[in-house]
Amino acid sequence: MSSALETLRRDFGGNIIEPSGAEYESARRTVLALGRPACVLRPRSAGDVQAGVRFAASTGLLLSVRGGGHGFAGFGTNDGGIVIDLSELAHVKIIDKERHLVRIGGGATWGQVAAALAPHGLAISSGDTKSVGVGGLTLTGGIGWKVRKYGLALDNVAAAEVVTANGEVVRVSAEENPELFWAIRGGGGNFGIVTAFEFAAHPTTDVFFGKIAFPASQAATVLRGWADYLRTAPEALTSVLDFANPFAGGPGAPVEIRVAFDGDDPQLAARTIDPIRRLGTVTSDDIALTPYADTLVDGTAPSAGIQFVIRNAFAGKESVPEVLQILAEAGASQRPPFIAVRSVGGAVSRVPGDATAYAHRQAELMVVTTIAGPEPAVEAARPALDAIWTRLAPHVNGAYANFFASATEEDVAAIYPSQTYKRLAAVKRRYDPGNLFARNHNVRPL
Ligand SMILES: Cc1cc2nc3c(=O)[nH]c(=O)nc-3n(C[C@H](O)[C@H](O)[C@H](O)COP(=O)(O)OP(=O)(O)OC[C@H]3O[C@@H](n4cnc5c(N)ncnc54)[C@H](O)[C@@H]3O)c2cc1C
């Protein structure tokens, strides 16, 4: 590795952090994972990324690519390998005012994007947390507070600049390298390092945003009513329903419906949100007009030793009643997992199924369960969690890569149905035949 490192030092303008370096202690970890890589590279330009990729390929060591470092599976670090940490590629620049085109560095976070776009009255539907990376979230989906109106974050990508496994810079769009453009919109970090995205942003006003809570005892009715309403509600409304929160009483925790109404007209907002208020006995309601950028929360890093088991699946319209019934019963059981249900229809479902590598366009809901805690607590809760998923299995399908803490063959098969996987594998063969980019929900070259 030493001669490769010498070449890297010559070609690389960014920071090279080795175990003896002062920054190593913080550089070796992501928000959810601790690694011990041989070195962490912090490129400052696409040229640095090219040098980093060539270096990694020449060493044969495992390569992790880190955007915002929030991946649940901990792909953004490793033991003994190389990490390319994109955090210094964080520019946000409006490049076409009329078309609202914005160029964003592959290591920017959504908080940086929201803050930079707010003064221009623009936003991009992304996620709910400031410190989450544009890279990881966008490359496999991106379910944010305007998802029903503007689709997934990846649906708003117009072009990207990618450094592929041989160190070349490739521009992708509908016209340029369209198959690679298709693959990076859903296929994750499998095909190269995205050094910059070009997004079509959308004008935004302040939005009505907040939470309406109901007693746990009304969970079954509220869940059903919420899902029925969201099926036909105006697409300006995006909503997530959370319940059985272990930090708020587990089975006794309130059912909380988080709501974002994309608009600042109070009458229209009330007309759209009121049907949710009528679903049960409202115990709290803090919905207020909020700058879009303030709807994103600060992320917090869990304490050392806390493990996460996060699982998810989609439900189509026909299975929604059974799924919600099972979840309501699970939420009322002793020591339930934290359960979240996201409404993912609207604009997501209008994009043709083969337009991007995100395959779950027809789902109506996404179910996410989370257990978190020290290892013994997580292990104790696992059998009950498995039992819930065994009951759900006949009624759900597919999975969203961004809400997985694991990366088994089964997980990859759930994320990519076989037709999608085959097409991705063909793109992988062309752009990464040696599987350099393997620290992800991995697609193997055909
Ligand atoms: C607190 C929290 C809140 C969240 N909220 C939401 C939400 O509201 N909606 C939602 O859809 N998801 C959400 N997520 C999930 C989130 O989308 C994923 O965790 C995502 O992988 C994080 O991206 P990252 O860049 O921060 O992570 P990283 O760990 O840095 O990267 C994850 C993966 O993406 C690849 N990658 C990242 N950047 C690039 C790049 N520029 N080029 C090539 N590959 C790259 C990496 O190789 C890695 O495989 C949330 C996660 C957390 C922890």
Side-chain angles (χ1 to χ4, degrees):
M1 176 162 137
S2 62
S3 77
L5 203 54
E6 267 167 41
T7 311
L8 178 73
R9 286 206 174 94
R10 193 192 61 209
D11 298 341
F12 191 78
N15 203 355
I16 301 172
I17 304 166
E18 292 175 82
S20 56
E23 286 176 73
Y24 183 77
E25 205 39 47
S26 61
R28 73 192 181 102
R29 61 184 72 224
T30 67
V31 175
L32 295 161
L34 184 62
R36 194 162 273 289
C39 69
V40 178
L41 310 180
R42 289 223 176 105
R44 296 205 176 101
S45 66
D48 287 346
V49 174
Q50 290 180 277
V53 165
R54 289 196 177 113
F55 166 69
S58 74
T59 63
L61 294 176
L62 191 63
L63 172 63
S64 287
V65 178
R66 186 186 302 164
H70 275 63
F72 285 102
F75 294 137
T77 191
N78 61 52
D79 289 326
I82 291 159
V83 174
I84 298 185
D85 172 352
L86 304 170
S87 54
E88 295 199 19
L89 297 182
H91 55 274
V92 182
K93 190 166 175 234
I94 297 176
I95 53 172
D96 183 333
K97 281 193 178 151
E98 264 170 38
R99 292 163 63 210
H100 304 137
L101 273 187
V102 187
R103 189 173 165 92
I104 300 176
T109 63
W110 286 110
Q112 290 168 326
V113 174
L117 296 186
H120 305 278
L122 295 174
I124 297 168
S125 187
S126 49
D128 57 16
T129 302
K130 288 180 185 163
S131 47
V132 166
V134 171
L137 179 132
T138 304
L139 291 171
T140 45
I143 298 172
W145 284 125
K146 299 188 186 209
V147 67
R148 290 185 72 246
K149 186 165 174 184
Y150 294 108
L152 303 164
L154 61 74
D155 292 330
N156 297 282
V157 175
E161 180 184 88
V162 186
V163 173
T164 56
N166 61 6
E168 274 174 29
V169 180
V170 177
R171 188 177 155 83
V172 300
S173 68
E175 290 80 35
E176 300 148 286
N177 303 297
E179 200 58 11
L180 183 55
F181 184 50
W182 171 83
I184 63 154
R185 289 174 299 152
N190 270 290
F191 308 95
I193 299 185
V194 176
T195 46
F197 293 90
E198 286 173 23
F199 279 93
H202 41 79
T204 191
T205 57
D206 289 352
V207 300
F208 279 91
F209 182 77
K211 208 161 49 190
I212 306 171
F214 302 90
S217 57
Q218 297 177 0
T221 329
V222 172
L223 260 83
R224 240 187 349 260
W226 171 82
D228 285 348
Y229 177 56
L230 262 294
R231 188 167 296 141
T232 55
E235 289 181 1
L237 183 71
T238 289
S239 185
V240 181
L241 185 151
D242 300 323
F243 67 115
N245 181 350
F247 301 105
V255 178
E256 294 184 329
I257 300 185
R258 288 188 284 155
V259 162
F261 173 80
D262 187 37
D264 58 0
D265 177 332
Q267 265 102 38
L268 202 53
R271 266 210 305 282
T272 307
I273 299 169
D274 279 351
I276 292 181
R277 295 187 168 106
R278 290 195 289 268
L279 293 175
T281 313
V282 174
T283 53
S284 72
D285 178 344
D286 64 3
I287 291 174
L289 196 58
T290 309
Y292 171 75
D294 293 353
T295 66
L296 272 60
V297 296
D298 292 313
T300 49
S303 339
I306 297 297
Q307 293 192 350
F308 280 83
V309 177
I310 173 161
R311 287 172 67 170
N312 76 87
F314 293 99
K317 183 179 174 191
E318 64 298 337
S319 53
V320 164
E322 288 84 356
V323 168
L324 296 182
Q325 184 58 36
I326 294 166
L327 292 178
E329 288 169 25
S333 66
Q334 269 193 343
R335 307 255 225 97
F338 178 51
I339 302 173
V341 191
R342 289 178 181 241
S343 166
V344 289
V348 178
S349 60
R350 285 200 300 279
V351 175
D354 61 356
T356 70
Y358 176 90
H360 308 288
R361 298 279 176 189
Q362 295 314 313
E364 197 168 283
L365 301 178
M366 179 168 65
V367 174
V368 187
T369 62
T370 309
I371 49 178
E375 195 185 346
V378 164
E379 287 314 315
R382 217 183 263 273
L385 184 73
D386 288 344
I388 296 169
W389 281 99
T390 303
R391 281 189 72 193
L392 285 171
H395 310 291
V396 294
N397 59 73
Y400 178 46
N402 275 340
F403 288 142
F404 256 138
S406 55
T408 63
E409 298 275 325
E410 223 182 0
D411 298 337
V412 175
I415 296 163
Y416 302 118
S418 59
Q419 284 308 315
T420 310
Y421 188 90
K422 270 191 206 141
R423 191 170 161 188
L424 286 171
V427 182
K428 181 84 171 172
R429 183 181 52 189
R430 171 145 183 226
Y431 290 98
D432 184 16
N435 204 8
L436 178 66
F437 301 108
R439 282 283 286 159
N440 42 46
H441 288 103
N442 196 222
V443 173
R444 304 227 168 78
L446 195 68

